[in-house]
């Protein structure tokens, strides 16, 4: 009997133990930070980086495998097998690049003066590495440098990069400092000096996509070097302070087994004194404490979401998408409030300055997502943008990098970023200052760095950008939407005159709508339409559209969708037009473009202008087609592999589309308070919004087959419309769907419940 009791007790103990272990494992697996994989996007042409950063940090400390060529916009490509070092600034997912500032590389043995070519690492200080010995987590990166037997670990603070190098026992452990390392940029001048065996200081002046800029640095070692040398133009100098275009530093140490050297690097765009203050603000932290702080900050963001259901892959894509949305823009201000913008040294008054604004990409979904979650960041982003007009006495930027407007892309995309934050009642935004900055940029013709004349003067005079100006159709459509945004801000400010003026300008999209072709079409300055022969034989389509090209911009009228549907011939005609978009294969001969990718019919998910197109069926009374198409795009265009997106990640926008779509709704018209419903991906997903309330989406019976909404309710009340509002999301509560394998063509189609054009 006793044996039976003991046996039963043993069995029960085993069951309880296994159950507890499973619960522990389950709990570990459900931690959001564990689902983030920074390697997603480091392959293909997605252009993300795997290294260490914290939300919106000045520091993105990541390995550089190379710094030239299309594959290396972020400095790293997953297909590479050698590392040249670890630099402190990187862009995330962009289609062009700069940065890669202040590279550090540990080595052992004789000093090499150059990094050497990627495919011949033995000719320089490069090292081979293997992905099997590489770790990337939010706020932490580690790799084994195979050629030297060195374990390199990285983490980041707000303004300081933290390195930890574990060498084998040696008298020749080297730490190389290369301030001339740049991704695509040109070095104008660099300087290195030392008078303390634990400290190196210097700067690099460069020119590139971020304009002419300085990066000052202070490097602090946890142990003194035994020897320090500086090279100038490939030769060792006899001086310990050297200035030239090609300057590198080499610190040599004696180390024993398990005797790591920690390195702290603070940077500043303003001054060496600014870099020193930045170092003092965080330099007391050890490497281990910096890792802890970094991962706590990431968990604070990621824990705003919880998920039930879905596959492990879908969870990795989702949480990595959140991670990618909180990398840029980047802190661009020293701890004392000083910063550089528009070529001027300024001091922030009551806000934290940020830069690296990919506004043309991110106004569509990234900035609305951030505003839901962390309005404190949105307030600083908006103040940073407005300050370019208010404080720097310049104009709102198109694409600002390192405080410099490189005027990449078109329109005035800072405008919807500012307005979207205002719509979410982000505190501290002065509506009159915002309106003044918007009214200014809407009259200043910026010369695009890639497309020449912005055509704004002609747009104001003619009501459209004429065909002789590059990208004229795309520019007209973006100007018209952004004019609608300015009108809404004028209304908030009580300025009736400006409201009426910009509402009229918002109608300019009608001037390029060809009534016979029923599409937007290039028009000459004399009012005549371009003919088909001219289009086919003289002017390729890319002359008139940008990036997403014609098939995306055919539907870019977010401010007047209902009006546009009537222009197309009504709802049935509009839905049939969308059917053609998603079914008719595109003959791209002569029209190839790296951003036109990820095809479903003629729709290309690879760039931003068409990201709302699949949601437009809702406006035509056929929401079930949106539901099917959204699921298809999520399934076909995203994965948890290194090439896990169809094109450039674009500072969060590609991921933001997935995050919103997986939750079941999307901001078709950024700045409008309606979010259009698609098809939720998870059984349950909860989002904690900025006021502390939780908005939850439940999808009963959802699966890869059950993609169609059969019924819906919001907080227990039937929901028959195919949109929800910002106020409903912010109020918290539960949006419930019942899903099925066949469309319910009676749900969400009532004409009185279809979202109306904000213009009407």
């Amino acid at each position: 009997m006793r044996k039976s009791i003991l046996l039963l007790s043993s069995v029960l103990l085993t069951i309880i133990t296994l159950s507890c272990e499973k619960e522990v494992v389950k709990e570990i697996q459900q931690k959001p930070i564990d689902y983030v994989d920074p390697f997603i996007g480091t392959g293909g042409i997605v252009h993300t980086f795997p290294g260490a950063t914290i939300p919106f940090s000045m520091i993105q400390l990541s390995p550089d495998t190379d710094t030239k060529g299309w594959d290396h916009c972020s400095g790293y490509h997953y297909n590479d097998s050698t590392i040249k070092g670890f630099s402190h600034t990187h862009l995330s997912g962009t289609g062009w690049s700069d940065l890669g500032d202040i590279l550090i590389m540990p080595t052992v043995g004789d000093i090499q003066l150059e990094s050497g070519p990627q495919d011949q690492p033995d000719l320089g200080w490069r090292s081979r590495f293997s992905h099997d010995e590489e770790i990337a987590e939010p706020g932490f990166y580690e790799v084994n440098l195979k050629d030297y037997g060195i374990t390199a670990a990285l983490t980041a603070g707000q303004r300081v990069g933290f390195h930890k190098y574990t060498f084998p026992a040696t008298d020749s452990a080297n730490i190389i400092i290369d301030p001339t390392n740049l991704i695509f940029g040109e070095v104008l001048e660099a300087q290195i000096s030392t008078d303390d065996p634990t400290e190196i200081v210097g700067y690099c002046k460069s020119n590139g996509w971020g304009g002419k800029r300085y990066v000052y640095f202070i490097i602090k070692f946890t142990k003194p070097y035994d020897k320090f040398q500086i090279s100038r133009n490939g030769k060792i100098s006899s001086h310990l302070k050297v200035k030239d275009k090609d300057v590198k530093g080499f610190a040599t140490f004696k180390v024993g087994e398990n005797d790591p050297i920690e390195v702290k690097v603070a940077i500043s765009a303003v001054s060496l004194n600014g870099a020193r203050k930045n170092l003092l603000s965080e330099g007391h932290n050890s490497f281990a404490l910096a890792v802890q702080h970094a991962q706590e900050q990431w968990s604070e963001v990621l824990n705003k979401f919880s998920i039930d259901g879905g596959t492990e892959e879908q969870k990795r894509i989702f949480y990595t998408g959140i991670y990618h949305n909180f990398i840029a823009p980047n802190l661009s201000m020293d701890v004392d409030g000083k910063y550089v913008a528009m070529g001027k040294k300024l001091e922030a008054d009551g806000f934290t300055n940020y830069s690296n604004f990919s506004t043309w990409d991110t106004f569509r979904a990234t900035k609305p997502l951030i505003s839901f979650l962390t309005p404190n960041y949105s307030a600083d982003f908006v103040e940073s943008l407005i300050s370019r007009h208010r404080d720097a006495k310049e104009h709102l930027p198109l694409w600002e990098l390192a405080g410099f407007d490189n005027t990449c892309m078109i329109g005035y995309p800072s405008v919807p970023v500012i307005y979207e934050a205002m719509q979410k009642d982000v505190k501290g935004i002065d509506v009159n200052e915002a309106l003044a900055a918007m009214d200014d940029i809407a009259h200043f013709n910026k010369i695009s760095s890639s497309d020449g004349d912005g055509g704004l003067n002609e747009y104001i005079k003619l009501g459209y950008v004429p065909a002789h100006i590059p990208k004229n159709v795309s520019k007209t459509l973006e100007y018209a939407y952004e004019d609608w945004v300015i009108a809404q801000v004028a209304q908030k400010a009580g300025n009736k005159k400006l409201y009426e003026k910009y509402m009229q300008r918002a109608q300019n999209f009608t001037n390029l709508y060809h009534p016979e072709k029923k599409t937007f079409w290039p028009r000459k300055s004399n009012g005549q339409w371009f003919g088909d022969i001219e289009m086919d034989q003289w002017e390729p389509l890319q002359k008139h559209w940008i990036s997403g090209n014609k098939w995306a911009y055919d539907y870019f009228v977010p401010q007047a969708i209902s009006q546009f549907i009537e222009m197309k011939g009504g709802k049935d005609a509009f839905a049939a037009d969308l059917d053609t978009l998603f079914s008719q294969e595109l003959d791209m001969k002569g029209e190839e473009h790296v951003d036109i990718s990820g095809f479903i019919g003629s729709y290309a998910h690879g760039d931003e202008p068409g990201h709302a197109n699949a949601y437009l069926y809702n406006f035509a009374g056929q929401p079930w087609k949106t539901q099917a198409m959204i699921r298809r795009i999520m399934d076909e265009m995203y994965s948890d592999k290194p090439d896990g997106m169809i094109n450039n990640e674009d500072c969060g926008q590609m991921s933001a589309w997935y995050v919103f779509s997986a939750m079941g709704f999307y901001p078709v018209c950024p700045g409008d308070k309606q979010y259009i419903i698609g098809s939720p991906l998870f059984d349950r997903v909860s989002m904690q919004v900025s006021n502390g309330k939780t908005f939850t989406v439940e999808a009963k019976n959802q699966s890869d087959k059950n993609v169609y909404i059969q019924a819906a309710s919001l907080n227990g009340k039937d929901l028959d419309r195919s949109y929800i509002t910002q106020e409903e999301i912010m109020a918290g509560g539960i949006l419930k769907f019942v899903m099925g394998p066949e469309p319910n063509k009676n749900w969400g189609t009532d004409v009185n419940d279809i979202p109306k054009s904000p213009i009407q």
Side-chain angles (χ1 to χ4, degrees):
M1 183 69 177
R2 186 178 177 185
K3 287 183 179 180
S4 299
I5 293 173
L6 289 173
L7 180 60
L8 179 59
S9 299
S10 177
V11 170
L12 288 172
L13 181 61
T14 301
I15 292 172
I16 292 169
T17 302
L18 289 173
S19 176
C20 290
E21 288 176 352
K22 287 179 180 179
E23 287 301 314
V24 169
V25 170
K26 183 179 179 182
E27 183 180 344
I28 292 172
Q29 290 174 338
Q30 287 183 335
K31 286 174 57 181
I33 195 170
D34 296 324
Y35 285 109
V36 176
D37 183 357
F39 288 119
I40 296 175
T42 59
I45 55 170
V46 189
H47 297 167
T48 62
F49 62 84
T53 189
I54 62 173
F56 307 124
S57 172
M58 185 185 291
I59 300 294
Q60 309 84 44
L61 180 49
S62 188
D64 290 342
T65 57
D66 210 350
T67 53
K68 305 296 179 186
W70 175 246
D71 281 349
H72 295 91
C73 290
S74 74
Y76 179 101
H77 197 276
Y78 195 82
N79 289 350
D80 295 339
S81 58
T82 65
I83 287 175
K84 66 180 294 190
F86 309 100
S87 64
H88 291 76
T89 59
H90 294 84
L91 284 169
S92 180
T94 55
W96 193 248
S97 202
D98 199 338
L99 309 183
D101 296 300
I102 320 303
L103 180 137
I104 307 290
M105 179 64 177
T107 69
V108 170
D110 295 336
I111 287 176
Q112 300 271 12
L113 300 184
E114 301 292 339
S115 62
Q118 185 186 52
D119 57 348
Q120 294 179 288
D122 294 330
L123 297 182
W125 69 58
R126 282 180 177 272
S127 176
R128 297 167 181 85
F129 76 104
S130 167
H131 296 307
D132 293 336
E133 300 176 297
E134 189 181 28
I135 299 170
E137 301 171 355
F140 178 78
Y141 174 87
E142 182 178 287
V143 68
N144 177 40
L145 301 175
K146 295 167 74 73
D147 288 4
Y148 303 114
I150 298 170
T151 298
L154 314 173
T155 191
Q158 284 191 308
R159 298 173 175 86
V160 177
F162 295 81
H163 309 238
K164 182 178 180 181
Y165 299 128
T166 304
F167 296 85
T170 179
D171 291 343
S172 57
N174 308 307
I175 295 179
I176 299 169
I177 301 154
D178 183 4
T180 70
N181 180 80
L182 293 171
I183 303 171
F184 285 81
E186 173 195 7
V187 176
L188 301 177
E189 180 180 279
Q191 179 175 291
I192 296 176
S193 66
T194 181
D195 57 12
D196 177 342
T198 65
E199 184 176 281
I200 314 296
V201 301
Y203 67 85
C204 178
K205 181 183 180 183
S206 65
N207 189 23
W209 205 36
K212 291 184 178 179
R213 61 191 182 88
Y214 282 88
V215 176
Y216 298 89
F217 64 89
I218 294 184
I219 300 172
K220 200 75 175 175
F221 305 124
T222 52
K223 65 182 300 181
Y225 59 72
D226 294 292
K227 183 179 182 182
F228 191 79
Q229 302 174 84
I230 303 175
S231 71
R232 169 189 278 149
N233 300 323
K235 296 182 179 179
I236 294 295
S237 170
S238 59
H239 301 284
L240 291 182
K241 183 176 182 179
V242 177
K243 180 171 68 175
D244 212 312
K245 287 187 69 171
D246 181 9
V247 177
K248 300 177 181 69
F250 307 87
T252 301
F253 304 80
K254 295 177 182 177
V255 296
E257 288 287 349
N258 300 315
D259 182 21
I261 299 176
E262 294 187 13
V263 185
K264 301 170 186 177
V265 181
I267 61 174
S268 167
V270 180
S271 67
L272 192 59
N273 187 47
R276 188 172 296 282
K277 290 180 180 179
N278 292 342
L279 180 65
L280 290 172
S281 70
E282 299 176 72
H284 58 280
N285 290 334
S286 66
F287 183 86
L289 190 58
V291 171
Q292 179 184 332
H293 288 169
Q295 298 202 325
E296 286 173 350
Q297 290 182 65
W298 278 117
S299 289
E300 184 178 350
V301 171
L302 296 162
N303 289 349
K304 292 180 181 293
F305 294 87
S306 65
I307 294 172
D308 293 325
T311 67
E312 294 297 292
E313 179 184 25
Q314 289 166 345
K315 291 176 183 177
R316 282 191 288 272
I317 297 169
F318 184 90
Y319 280 115
T320 305
I322 301 296
Y323 170 79
H324 281 143
N325 270 267
F326 277 74
I327 290 178
N330 302 115
L331 179 63
S332 185
M333 185 183 85
D334 291 342
V335 72
D336 61 6
K338 294 177 182 177
Y339 67 97
V340 174
M342 304 296 185
K344 301 172 183 177
K345 290 186 178 182
L346 302 166
E347 188 164 353
D349 182 11
F351 71 98
T352 300
N353 185 66
Y354 289 82
S355 188
N356 303 352
F357 287 103
S358 181
T359 50
W360 182 84
D361 302 287
T362 61
F363 79 77
R364 305 164 199 273
T366 287
K367 294 305 187 294
L369 180 65
I370 293 168
S371 295
F372 265 133
L373 303 171
T374 53
N376 56 314
Y377 284 121
S378 294
D380 284 329
F381 298 162
V382 167
E383 280 297 297
S384 298
L385 292 169
I386 292 175
S387 77
R388 307 311 186 245
H389 177 256
R390 181 191 61 220
D391 302 334
K393 309 304 180 186
E394 294 287 346
H395 313 281
L396 290 175
L398 272 66
W399 210 123
E400 187 187 277
L401 175 58
F404 172 79
D405 186 4
N406 57 46
T407 66
C408 181
M409 304 313 295
I410 62 173
Y412 14 93
S414 294
V415 164
V417 170
I418 296 170
Y419 178 56
E420 198 282 327
M422 294 171 69
Q423 284 289 76
K424 287 198 173 73
D425 297 322
V426 169
K427 306 302 180 186
I429 302 173
D430 187 311
V431 65
N432 291 306
E433 287 183 350
L435 181 59
M438 293 176 179
D439 187 43
D440 167 74
I441 191 61
H443 290 86
F444 182 78
N445 184 41
K446 288 215 172 190
I447 304 302
S448 170
S449 59
S450 54
D451 302 309
D453 189 352
L456 185 59
N457 296 332
E458 288 82 357
Y459 171 83
I460 294 171
K461 178 181 178 181
L462 301 173
Y464 62 93
V465 179
H468 70 274
I469 293 175
K471 320 305 184 188
N472 50 86
V473 176
S474 296
K475 289 174 181 175
T476 298
L477 296 175
E478 298 236 4
Y479 284 145
Y481 159 65
E482 288 150 1
D483 285 340
W484 171 79
V485 170
I486 298 174
Q488 310 315 303
V489 177
Q491 188 175 49
K492 279 182 176 288
N495 192 323
K496 183 179 179 181
K497 183 178 179 180
L498 281 185
Y499 171 76
E500 292 175 348
K501 170 184 174 179
Y502 281 105
M503 285 298 283
Q504 183 177 359
R505 277 175 54 161
Q507 285 283 300
N508 282 344
F509 70 91
T510 63
N511 297 327
L512 286 190
Y513 187 76
H514 197 301
E516 296 175 4
K517 295 181 180 294
K518 292 191 178 298
T519 188
F520 295 110
W521 201 251
R523 195 170 193 173
K524 300 176 184 179
S525 56
N526 63 6
Q528 294 181 350
W529 296 105
F530 253 50
D532 291 336
I533 294 178
E534 291 173 296
M535 290 295 292
D536 291 342
Q537 297 186 8
W538 180 44
E539 290 281 333
L541 291 174
Q542 282 183 39
K543 295 287 185 181
H544 306 283
W545 288 266
I546 193 171
S547 240
N549 218 314
K550 177 185 185 302
W551 303 275
Y553 275 105
D554 265 353
Y555 307 91
F556 188 76
V557 195
Q559 78 279 14
I561 295 174
S562 296
Q563 179 184 355
F564 181 53
I565 288 173
E566 293 306 311
M567 293 167 63
K568 281 278 191 179
K571 291 183 178 181
D572 290 343
F574 183 70
D577 208 51
L578 287 173
D579 289 344
T580 300
L581 170 71
F582 288 108
S583 63
Q584 182 172 291
E585 296 298 323
L586 187 63
D587 179 8
M588 290 294 293
K589 186 175 182 181
E591 295 306 321
E592 289 82 359
H593 187 287
V594 69
D595 285 328
I596 306 175
S597 60
F599 283 103
I600 297 176
S602 301
Y603 170 75
H605 192 67
D607 214 359
E608 281 67 28
H611 271 191
N613 287 358
Y615 283 90
L616 299 184
Y617 282 113
N618 288 277
F619 294 82
Q622 298 184 16
W624 63 89
K625 291 183 179 178
T626 284
Q627 294 155 28
M629 189 55 63
I630 293 303
R631 282 296 195 98
R632 181 176 175 185
I633 294 170
M634 283 193 283
D635 183 56
E636 293 185 8
M637 305 300 169
Y638 295 85
S639 78
D640 62 352
K641 304 298 187 294
D643 60 349
M645 279 164 272
I646 203 65
N647 210 309
N648 312 147
E649 207 275 339
D650 284 323
C651 294
Q653 171 57 29
M654 286 290 285
S655 293
W657 186 95
Y658 187 95
V659 169
F660 270 121
S661 296
M663 287 194 290
F665 50 89
Y666 187 80
V668 167
C669 181
D672 179 40
K673 292 188 176 183
Q674 292 172 332
Y675 287 74
I676 310 306
I677 289 173
S679 178
L681 185 62
F682 300 107
D683 297 347
R684 179 185 175 98
V685 57
S686 294
M687 174 176 69
Q688 185 182 56
V689 292
S690 59
N691 59 13
K693 296 183 179 180
T694 299
F695 185 74
T696 299
V697 179
E698 293 183 358
K700 184 179 179 181
N701 302 328
Q702 83 77 28
S703 68
D704 60 348
K705 299 291 190 296
N706 294 347
V707 304
Y708 296 104
I709 296 171
Q710 308 298 301
S713 65
L714 180 62
N715 296 328
K717 296 182 179 180
D718 288 347
L719 184 75
D720 294 324
R721 50 182 160 87
S722 59
Y723 69 94
I724 55 174
T725 67
Q726 172 186 305
E727 288 83 0
E728 289 167 339
I729 296 170
M730 294 299 294
I734 300 177
L735 174 62
K736 291 185 178 181
F737 295 104
V738 178
M739 310 298 292
E742 299 294 333
N744 176 2
K745 296 184 179 181
N746 295 315
W747 181 84
T749 60
D750 189 330
V751 68
N752 293 320
D753 286 332
I754 296 299
K756 299 300 188 296
S757 161
I759 240 176
Q760 294 179 333

